[in-house]
Structures are given as C-alpha cells and as structure tokens.
C-alpha cells in the first residue's frame, strides 16, 4: 500500500527512488509502503552485521541457493530460493525462483515460526536481527522467515512487466504461495539452516501494512496451516473512495485549517481557468513543467500525507525537530496567504530532495517501460486490479486538505495506459470485501495493532470503531491501539524507543502471542 518505514532511513530511500518514478507509482509509494530498512540505533545495526557475518562465514546458502549440509544452527543473510508455481489456479505449470531468508538462532524444538511475507517491497535480511518479528522470536524460542512476495525484489515469474504478463499477480496466487511454502517447509528449512523443525511448531503469520492483510487472510483462509497472526496497520477494507484518509491527517496537523484555506483558493483558481494565473502558481510551487492541472493538484499531497503517516515523536530529551511542527511552521508567516506558504513549502521540498516534477508527477510517465524489477509498478497493478485504495478529497462540507481535482477517476486513469484496457482501475471492491470479509474477518488468534495517527487505521480493525468489539467478542482476537503512533510503528521502530507507548504496545503483543501459544498445549 505504499508509504515509508524506517522512518528517516526509509523516508530518504523513498525520496531517492522517487526521482525516477512516474506519478501514478510515486503517489502510491508515498501513500502506503511497507517496510524496507529498519535500523535506527547502533545496537540494532550491530545485530544485523552479526547476522550477516554469520551467514558469510558459514556459507550456509549462497545467493544462488546452493544448499548446505549438516545440522548446524545457523542464521544467514544470504538469500535462499525455492521453486514456486507461477499459476496455482490455471494451466501454466511452470515455476519461478522465490526468495526467502531465515534466522533460526533462537529456535528451540516446538518453538513458533514467524513468517513475514514482505508484501509490496523486496524481502530484506534486516528483519533477521531487528523489528518486532525478531523480538517475538527471541522471546518465545522461535524462528523468523522473511518471504518475498511474487513480482517484488527478485521474485519475478515473468520476463517483463507488460499488461498480459501481470495476470499472475493476484492476491489469491500470493496467498497460495505462502501455503505451498509452509506445506513444503521442512525441506526448505533443513536445506538452508540444518534445522529440523518440530511437528509441534506453530506458524504465526506477521506483517505490517499490506503484508499485515496477508497475515490476517492467511489465518482466515488457511487455518490448518497458520495458527495465529500479528497484523500491524492492516488496511483490510478495500476502497475506491478513501476520503477518510485526509480526515485523520487533518486531526494530526495543527495547521490543517490553513492548508484547507490554501486548497480552497487553489481550486477556485483552477475552476476559473485563467491560464496565465494557473501557470504562475505552478511555477511558484516548483511544478511549472507539469502540463496537467490535475497532476499539479495531485503533487501537493505527498509531503503532508507522508509527514503524518510516518510520524514518530522525537526521542525524549533530543534536539530533533518534530516533523509535524516543522511542516506547520511553514504556515506561521501571517504576511502571506496560506496558498503562498504552501507554495514555498512545496518548492523547498522539491528542490531539497532533487525531485524531477515531470518524471515524478506526470500521470502517464513510465507507462510503456516494461522492464522487470519495478516494484512500484507491481503495486500499482495490484491497486488497479483488486484493492483500489484511491485517496480522494472529502466531500463538502468536510474540510479538504487536497484538491477536489484529486479524484478516483484521475488516480485510476493511468491503469489502462500501464496495463491495457482490461485493467480499469476501478475494481469491484464490494465483491472483494464480501469475499475477504472486510473489517469482520472470520478469524481467531489475531493481534490487530494500529496507531491513531495512521490514516490507514480507517480501513483497519481499531479500538476506535465498534467493529473491534465484534472481532474481540466473537473471535478471541486482541485489538491494540497506540494513541501517538502512526503506520506500522510497532512493527519496525528500533527497540531503543521505549517512549510514547510503543513499549507498552509491544509488551501487549508479546502477551497476546504467549496467550495464543498456550492454547496449543
């Protein structure tokens, strides 16, 4: 779903990548992205280095998947590959190489196996020695497996990303990938680590953002394989008109009224159609090269959305700037109209991050680039074909923090350009939510975690909604909400951060997992 964890490292990596990304893909990447890097302190950096060194010294598995022998208990940051079916439900019987990583250092016979499908980002060995799955494994004598989602990282079943070649990228195939892996896991794990897993070991699916959805749906559809799940910021409800996103952003930003005032004036200017005036404002925003007025309006959402979605309070006693205060500081100049303040803020953001407005914000840019290893293109296909997740301007009289020109139609229009006329960009989310049960998944033993500052919590199971009571009462699930946290904060944030309630949430997650595991005894 595309957006930015590990806070500063991830924000920086997102900016670097986005310079060459087309608008349709960049907009999604800044909206709902899974975690890719997660090291925020020296202790965890050292831990990851230790895992990497063990893997290199031991040569358990090289990057091409050569297997080791013996019964050594080893971790490796080298990739393991296995032969996965291209099409689980059709006639294509060919296979492709799917990547995964394993850390079995803490595993004791009968301990749980935490399976993290990395969702819409490449699988990263960083999670072998940091992050909440690793912490849970250490505390419960478990094993961590990081499995790459098809069509991401290096796990591509096709030679190019043209429209017809994307047909194997479905949620159904992705879920069955995991089921196939679990069914055949003993051989994979033994070959890669030398560990023989116990028949008593329970599989716990874990994830953050889209990969949290996967964890929940695996528990729901494959209860014989997946014993429990931990889902951080899971936007389970598909939507093609997600205006509630901005309502959360507005509650988080003290300057929201000023932003709304700026947007109202901007829309009036666009409505009037004065070409000279519109073009002068485009130049003021640093977006003078954009031809489309809708692309111009859409480009103004990234900075505000990203600030709230990945907000983490500065560490206590530090001199670090608060991201929300820094953004709202631009609107403190009362000598300017809020629209001018927004223009100054956006121009500074574009200039300092080296963003090329044309390649980053033009809707159809990159549509005919079919080269593989474009993870953003893969995610764009998934939202075009199944999830929607189009963030739109709230209807009147609600306050708007984005232009009314940022519509679902504008966001979905490039889908046909990228993937062909069969992919309209307006999937049947009603049918999808019926099939996957929306906010009332038929599950037990699932930990749902959300931050109240996370705009995506509006599509998730949270204690702020009545639906959470039904989930708890009917399914023996645990729902945890963090007041000052945002998107997947509990999943990726460095363990050195024990303030603003994240440590309490993590203890509650561990308690829930231990409670679930006792049910297996």
């Amino acid at each position: 779903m595309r957006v930015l964890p590990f806070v500063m490292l991830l924000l920086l990596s997102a900016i670097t990548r986005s310079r060459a990304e087309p608008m349709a893909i960049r907009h999604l990447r800044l909206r709902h992205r899974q975690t890719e890097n997660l090291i925020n302190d020296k202790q965890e950096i050292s831990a990851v280095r230790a895992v990497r060194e063990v893997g290199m010294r031991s040569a358990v598995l090289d990057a091409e998947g050569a297997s080791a022998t013996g019964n050594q208990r080893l971790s490796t940051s080298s990739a393991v590959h296995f032969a996965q079916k291209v099409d689980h439900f059709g006639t294509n019987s060919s296979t492709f190489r799917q990547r995964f990583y394993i850390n079995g250092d803490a595993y004791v016979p009968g301990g749980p196996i935490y399976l993290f499908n990395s969702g819409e980002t490449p699988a990263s060995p960083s999670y072998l020695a940091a992050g909440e799955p690793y912490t849970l494994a250490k505390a419960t004598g478990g094993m961590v497996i990081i499995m790459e989602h098809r069509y991401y990282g290096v796990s591509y079943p096709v030679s190019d990303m043209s429209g017809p070649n994307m047909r194997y990228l479905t949620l159904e195939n992705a879920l069955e990938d995991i089921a196939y892996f679990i069914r055949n896991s003993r051989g994979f794990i033994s070959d890669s680590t030398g560990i023989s897993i116990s028949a008593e070991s329970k599989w716990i699916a874990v994830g953050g953002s889209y990969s949290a959805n996967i964890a929940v749906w695996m528990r729901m559809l494959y209860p014989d394989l997946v014993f429990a799940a931990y889902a951080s910021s899971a936007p389970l409800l598909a939507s093609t008109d997600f205006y509630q996103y901005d309502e959360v952003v507005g509650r988080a930003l003290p300057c929201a009224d000023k932003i709304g005032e700026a947007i109202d004036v901007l829309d009036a200017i666009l409505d009037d159609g004065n070409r000279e005036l519109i073009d002068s404002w485009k130049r003021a925003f640093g977006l003078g090269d954009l031809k489309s007025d809708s692309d111009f309006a859409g480009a103004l959402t990234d900075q505000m959305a990203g600030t709230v979605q990945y907000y983490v309070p500065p560490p206590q006693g530090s001199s670090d700037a608060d991201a929300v205060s820094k953004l709202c500081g631009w609107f403190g100049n009362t000598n300017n109209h809020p629209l001018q303040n927004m223009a100054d803020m956006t121009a500074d953001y574009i200039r300092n991050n080296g963003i090329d407005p044309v390649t980053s914000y033009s809707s159809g840019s990159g549509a005919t680039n079919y080269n593989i290893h474009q993870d953003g293109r893969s995610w764009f296909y998934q939202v075009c074909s199944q999830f929607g997740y189009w963030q739109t301007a709230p209807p009147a009289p609600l306050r708007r923090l984005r232009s009314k020109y940022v519509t679902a139609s504008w966001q979905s229009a490039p889908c046909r350009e990228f993937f062909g006329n069969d992919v309209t960009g307006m999937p049947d989310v009603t049918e999808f939510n019926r099939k996957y049960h929306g906010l009332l998944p038929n599950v037990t033993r699932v930990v749902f975690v959300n931050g109240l500052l996370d705009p995506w919590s509006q599509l998730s199971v949270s204690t702020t909604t009545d639906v959470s009571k039904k989930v708890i009462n009917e399914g023996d699930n645990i729902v945890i909400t963090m007041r000052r946290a945002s998107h997947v904060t509990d999943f990726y944030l460095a363990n050195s951060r024990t303030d603003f309630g994240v440590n309490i949430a993590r203890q509650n997650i561990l308690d829930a997992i231990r409670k679930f595991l006792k049910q297996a005894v």
Side-chain angles (χ1 to χ4, degrees), residues 98 137-138 240 253 310 358 476:
Q98 193 161 25
K138 283 200 306 179
T240 54
L253 294 176
Y310 294 104
V358 174
D476 190 27

Side-chain angles (χ1 to χ4, degrees), residues 456-470:
W456 292 95
S457 65
Q458 299 301 291
L459 302 181
S460 188
V461 177
S462 169
T463 55
T464 60
T465 62
D466 290 338
V467 73
S468 68
K469 298 181 178 63
K470 296 181 181 179

